[in-house]
Amino acid sequence: MRTTVGIIGAGPAGLLLARLLHNAGIDSVVLESRDRAYVERRQRAGILEQGTVDVLRAAGAGERMDREGLRHDGIELRFSRRRHRVDFPALTGGRSVMVYAQTEVCKDLIALQLESGGPLLFETEALAVEDAGTDRPRVRFRRGGASGGGGTEEVLECDYVVGCDGFWGVARAAVPDGRTFERTYPFGWLGILADVAPSHDELVYARHDRGFALLSMRSPSVSRLYLQVPADTDADSWSDEEIWDELERRLETDDDWTLRRGPVTQKSVTPMRSYVHEPMRHGRLFLAGDAAHIVPPTGAKGLNLAVGDVVTLARALAHRAATGSDELLDTYSATCLRRVWQAERFSYDMTTLLHKAPDATPFEDRLQLARLDRITSSRAAETDLAEAYTGFPVG
C-alpha cells in the first residue's frame, strides 16, 4: 500500500489532518488501532478555542458543532466564596470558546472521511515507523487492532509519516535523540458525568482550601464536574453522594447559588502532567498532538494544541506540493513549539493558581489568593487570561 501521507492515529489530530489534506488535494491513509465505536465514545476534551472552531468550519466539519455546540463568552472564577466573571469578547476583541466534546468532533470528522476522504483503517495497529530519515519512510502495521495479535504484517509506504498516536504510540519512539521536558503533579481530577442540567451557564473554576473544583457541561442536560484528589485515588472509593457533597463545599458562594444534583453516569480519575518532546520532527516523520506534548487539563489546551499542530503541518505540506519548497516543513517543529510552550505556561499557571498542593504552606496559600485578586482587579491581568484561554495564534 502506498500514499503521500501516512497518518497514525484517528483521534482529532489525525482525522483533522486527513480532512485538511483531502481539501488540499493531498492523499493520505489513516491507521487506527481501535475500532470505530471506541474512538467515537472515548471521553476527552470539551472546550474548543475560537481558532479551533474557525478551522473546523473552514474544513467543512462545523455544521453539527454550530447546531449543537454551546458558545461560551466567559468563565467564572470562584475563591473565598466570591464570584468573578471573565468576559472573553470584551477583553479579546470578540473571541469566545465552544463547548463541544471531542467525541463529537471525532464523529463528524470520521463521517466526512468515510464519505469522501482517503482510507481510514480501524482495528489496524501500527507496529513501527521505519526509514524516517530517508525520502521513503514506511509504517509496518497489522490489521486486527492493538489486541488482535494475529493477521499478516503489511507495509504502508509514504512520502511523509505523521504520528498522531499519543504518548504511548510508535511514532514518538522513532524520533532518535529527542529531548523531553516534563512535570508530574501530585494530584489528579476525579471527574463525573451526570444526567442533570448544568448549575451555571458557563464554566466555573473554583479555588478552595480543600482543593480545586470545576463545573462544566457536555450539553444543556448533561453536566461534567471535577474535583481535585490525590493522584493515586480510586474513583470507586468515592460514593456519588460524597462527590456531590464535596462539590457543594468547594463551589459554595455567599449568594443564593445552588448546585443541582443528578444521576452519575460515569466516574474516572484523570492524572495531571506536563510534557513536551523536542523536536517534533525527524526526517519525514512529524509528531502532532499528544505524541509531542501533554498539558494538564486546567487550561483546556490539549485538543486545541493538536489542532494547531496539524493546521501548521497541512499548510506546510500544501506549500511543498504547490512549490516544491521544504521551507515550511523545515520550520514545523520550531513553529509549533512556540505555541506549545505558551500553552504549557498557561496551563501550568492555571493549575498552580487553583489547585492546593499537598505540602502547601500558608505563605503559598496567600500567594494564590493574591494572584486571583490581581486577575479580578486588573484589566491587564484579566485580559492576559482571556487571550490565553480563547487561544494563541496558529503559526
Side-chain angles (χ1 to χ4, degrees):
M1 186 182 300
R2 174 158 186 81
T3 189
T4 301
V5 183
I7 301 171
I8 308 173
L15 291 167
L16 179 58
L17 177 60
R19 174 59 17 187
L20 295 173
L21 293 177
H22 172 79
N23 291 347
I26 300 172
D27 62 292
S28 68
V29 172
V30 183
L31 309 178
E32 168 56 48
S33 63
R34 303 286 191 165
D35 62 28
R36 179 178 178 178
Y38 179 90
V39 174
E40 291 187 340
R41 70 172 180 262
R42 55 185 169 194
Q43 292 291 332
R44 293 291 189 273
I47 305 296
L48 308 183
E49 295 175 354
Q50 181 72 63
T52 296
V53 170
D54 295 343
V55 167
L56 290 171
R57 287 172 178 157
E63 180 181 352
R64 193 163 70 94
M65 174 191 68
D66 283 330
R67 186 172 67 250
E68 300 178 11
L70 306 174
R71 172 180 163 141
H72 279 202
D73 287 336
I75 58 172
E76 183 172 286
L77 298 176
R78 292 190 185 178
F79 61 102
S80 304
R81 302 175 65 94
R82 295 160 47 195
R83 305 172 62 179
H84 178 83
R85 181 174 185 266
V86 180
D87 186 333
F88 292 156
L91 296 163
T92 65
R95 297 171 68 83
S96 62
V97 298
M98 181 82 75
V99 175
Y100 191 63
Q102 175 175 314
T103 50
E104 306 310 307
V105 173
C106 287
K107 288 175 187 177
D108 296 341
L109 290 169
I110 286 170
L112 285 171
Q113 188 70 7
L114 295 178
E115 176 186 342
S116 61
L120 169 52
L121 307 179
F122 291 106
E123 299 184 85
T124 301
E125 181 185 9
L127 302 173
V129 178
E130 300 174 339
D131 300 328
T134 73
D135 60 0
R136 297 293 296 272
R138 303 151 35 102
V139 181
R140 280 197 297 109
F141 67 92
R142 180 174 55 221
R143 299 180 196 248
S147 59
T152 303
E153 288 189 13
E154 301 179 52
V155 172
L156 176 63
E157 297 183 345
C158 321
D159 293 334
Y160 305 95
V161 176
V162 185
C164 302
D165 51 345
F167 180 80
W168 300 107
V170 300
R172 186 176 63 88
V175 179
D177 304 322
R179 188 178 181 191
T180 60
F181 305 84
E182 58 187 314
R183 178 187 180 94
T184 301
Y185 299 87
F187 42 75
W189 279 8
L190 172 60
I192 62 169
L193 276 176
D195 285 339
V196 61
S199 302
H200 193 58
D201 55 1
E202 294 177 334
L203 272 69
V204 176
Y205 288 78
R207 184 268 179 202
H208 193 276
D209 287 340
R210 296 175 64 91
F212 169 75
L214 173 62
L215 188 160
S216 182
M217 66 281 295
R218 283 294 179 262
S219 75
S221 60
V222 176
S223 292
R224 183 73 160 153
L225 303 107
Y226 298 93
L227 287 171
Q228 176 189 345
V229 293
D232 59 354
T233 296
D234 178 0
D236 291 331
S237 67
W238 284 71
S239 71
D240 294 357
E241 185 177 1
E242 287 173 328
I243 292 172
W244 287 117
D245 287 346
E246 189 62 22
L247 284 165
E248 199 164 75
R249 290 187 195 98
R250 299 188 192 183
L251 291 164
E252 62 187 356
T253 63
D254 281 333
D255 58 17
D256 59 357
W257 179 88
T258 58
L259 176 68
R260 298 185 182 122
R261 300 189 180 206
V264 174
T265 60
Q266 189 178 108
K267 188 188 309 182
S268 62
V269 173
T270 301
M272 305 279 282
R273 62 190 302 236
S274 301
Y275 175 87
V276 179
H277 183 284
E278 296 186 2
M280 292 172 57
R281 175 196 183 184
H282 168 62
R284 294 199 170 197
L285 168 63
F286 299 83
L287 304 181
D290 286 357
H293 41 72
I294 295 171
V295 290
T298 326
K301 290 289 168 236
L303 182 154
N304 297 291
L305 273 183
V307 168
D309 293 344
V310 298
V311 167
T312 302
L313 183 55
R315 184 185 302 146
L317 289 166
H319 181 73
R320 174 68 172 80
T323 68
S325 170
D326 286 333
E327 178 186 2
L328 297 185
L329 289 171
D330 290 342
T331 59
Y332 167 77
S333 181
T335 298
C336 289
L337 284 170
R338 282 194 295 272
R339 190 171 189 265
V340 166
W341 277 112
Q342 285 301 316
E344 292 282 357
R345 186 270 307 170
F346 175 68
S347 299
Y348 173 83
D349 284 351
M350 288 285 284
T351 301
T352 58
L353 173 70
L354 296 165
H355 292 74
K356 185 176 180 66
D359 58 350
T361 65
F363 178 82
E364 289 165 326
D365 288 340
R366 292 301 293 269
L367 281 181
Q368 279 187 322
L369 294 173
R371 290 166 65 190
L372 284 161
D373 275 330
R374 173 64 177 169
I375 291 168
T376 58
S377 61
S378 163
R379 186 176 178 86
E382 191 178 19
T383 298
D384 183 62
L385 187 154
E387 288 179 343
Y389 197 99
T390 55
F392 300 105
V394 176

